[in-house]
Amino acid sequence: MVNGVLIDVSKDPNATWTKEEAVATLAYELPNSYAKSIIRGIGQANWDKLDDNQKAAYLSFAYNCGPGRSRKQIKAALDNNDINGVATIIANGPVRDAGSGKVYKGLVERRKLESALFLIII
């Protein structure tokens, strides 16, 4: 987001962002891109039954892995009100480099935290 307009920086390899622009872009993209994609995939009713922690955990997972990652499995679990199942799917999400297969400790920790946040009931 630059001056309230979403800019496609992929067309300019020399593009740079300020911290403020990066934060504004993230604040725009989460509800307007990632959340909408999630809702299309799992259904509005399933999204509406999630609390704020669960939505935040799922958004974090979708932001890091792509909004389509495990969507069918997560939808099936939500259709069955299986909150523990969703947390398990998130916990078992990707933690490896796609090319080398190397496990990244940071991703292992991120999946644990996302899963734990999903299970905190508010």
Side-chain angles (χ1 to χ4, degrees):
M1 296 293 291
V2 177
N3 297 323
V5 177
L6 189 61
I7 304 296
D8 183 357
V9 296
S10 66
K11 296 180 180 177
D12 181 0
N14 298 314
T16 59
W17 291 5
T18 65
K19 180 178 179 181
E20 292 77 19
E21 289 168 338
V23 169
T25 301
L26 181 62
Y28 176 85
E29 286 286 327
L30 286 176
N32 292 297
S33 179
Y34 291 90
K36 286 182 179 182
S37 181
I38 289 168
I39 293 166
R40 278 191 307 272
I42 67 168
Q44 187 70 51
N46 278 331
W47 180 254
D48 289 344
K49 66 184 167 184
L50 300 178
D51 66 29
D52 289 344
N53 283 344
Q54 292 166 329
K55 288 176 181 175
Y58 195 173
L59 276 169
S60 174
F61 181 76
Y63 178 77
N64 188 242
C65 303
R69 170 67 73 166
S70 305
R71 181 181 289 162
K72 289 180 183 179
Q73 296 90 344
I74 290 173
K75 181 183 183 320
L78 289 172
D79 286 345
N80 290 311
N81 295 313
D82 183 5
I83 298 304
N84 288 324
V86 176
T88 298
I89 293 165
I90 291 172
N92 292 326
V95 295
R96 296 179 181 277
D97 178 83
S100 70
K102 175 184 175 187
V103 173
Y104 288 108
K105 291 180 185 178
L107 290 179
V108 171
E109 186 62 23
R110 182 178 182 139
R111 297 291 93 80
K112 285 181 187 176
L113 292 172
E114 289 164 341
S115 178
L117 179 60
F118 197 87
L119 291 174
I120 296 174
I121 305 300
I122 57 172

